[in-house]
Amino acid sequence: MTIEAQLRWTRDEQFVASCPGGAAVVIDNPETGSAAGPMQLLLMGIAGCTAMDVISILKRKQMAVTGFTVNICGTRADKHPRRYTDIHIEYVISGTDVSAKGVEQAIRLSETRFCGAVASLNAKITTSYRIVPSGSVLHHQPFKNIGKNS
C-alpha cells in the first residue's frame, strides 16, 4: 500500500500538508509560528494510530466507552537529528463496564500488532492507562505527569 502526501510552502517556515481527498494541516516552526511543528505532528500521528486501534478493539469487546483521551509525550535526543528516544502514551478511558483486562489487551494488541506508527519508531515506548467513572470530564493534564504510571 502506498500513501501519498504533499507539502506546500506558504511563508517563513510554514507549510500546508495535504493528502488526496483534500485533508490538510498547517505545519510551522513551533517556536516562532502558529501551528504544530513536525515533531509534534509525529506524536499526534502516533496517538491517532494507537487510539483508533484501541477504541476499535474496545468496541468489538462491546465495552460501553463514553470518553477516550490519549495523552502522549516524547523526550528527544540532545544532539541532531534529535530523534525521539522515549515516548510515553497514557490512555484515559471512561464508560460503564470497562474492564482493566480488556483495556490492557487492546493496548497490547495496538502496540504489538496493529499500530504501524509505533512499529515505525526507534524509541522506547511506555504506556499507562486510567479508567475513570463514566461522565467524568476527560481534560488535558499537564504533560509532566503523564510519564508516571498511574
Side-chain angles (χ1 to χ4, degrees):
M1 169 193 284
T2 301
I3 297 175
E4 296 178 353
Q6 183 181 64
L7 198 69
R8 183 178 45 83
W9 177 60
T10 56
R11 62 181 162 83
D12 300 324
E13 293 179 77
Q14 186 181 83
F15 298 82
V16 174
S18 61
C19 57
V25 65
V26 177
I27 303 172
D28 207 342
N29 181 333
E31 295 175 9
T32 60
S34 60
M39 296 301 284
Q40 292 165 317
L41 288 170
L42 182 59
L43 286 180
M44 289 181 210
I46 294 162
C49 182
T50 189
M52 288 178 196
D53 294 339
V54 170
I55 197 69
S56 175
I57 294 165
L58 294 178
K59 284 181 177 181
R60 276 186 271 155
K61 291 180 170 292
Q62 298 181 341
M63 292 191 194
V65 176
T66 58
F68 182 44
T69 300
V70 176
N71 298 311
I72 187 167
C73 67
T75 302
R76 294 178 64 188
D78 292 331
K79 296 182 181 179
H80 287 284
R82 300 203 53 227
R83 69 176 186 85
Y84 283 113
T85 56
D86 297 275
I87 294 173
H88 184 77
I89 306 168
E90 179 193 46
Y91 303 84
V92 186
I93 301 109
S94 68
T96 55
D97 197 29
V98 175
S99 76
K101 182 179 178 181
V103 170
E104 289 170 5
Q105 184 182 35
I107 292 168
R108 185 175 54 255
L109 284 169
S110 177
E111 285 181 318
T112 61
R113 184 169 178 192
F114 296 118
C115 184
V118 167
S120 297
L121 297 174
N122 179 21
K124 178 184 175 191
I125 305 216
T126 57
T127 61
S128 63
Y129 69 90
R130 290 184 287 135
I131 300 172
V132 299
S134 187
S136 295
V137 177
L138 303 181
H139 58 84
H140 172 69
Q141 295 218 348
F143 285 110
K144 65 182 180 178
N145 294 332
I146 71 169
K148 299 175 181 170
N149 277 334
S150 326

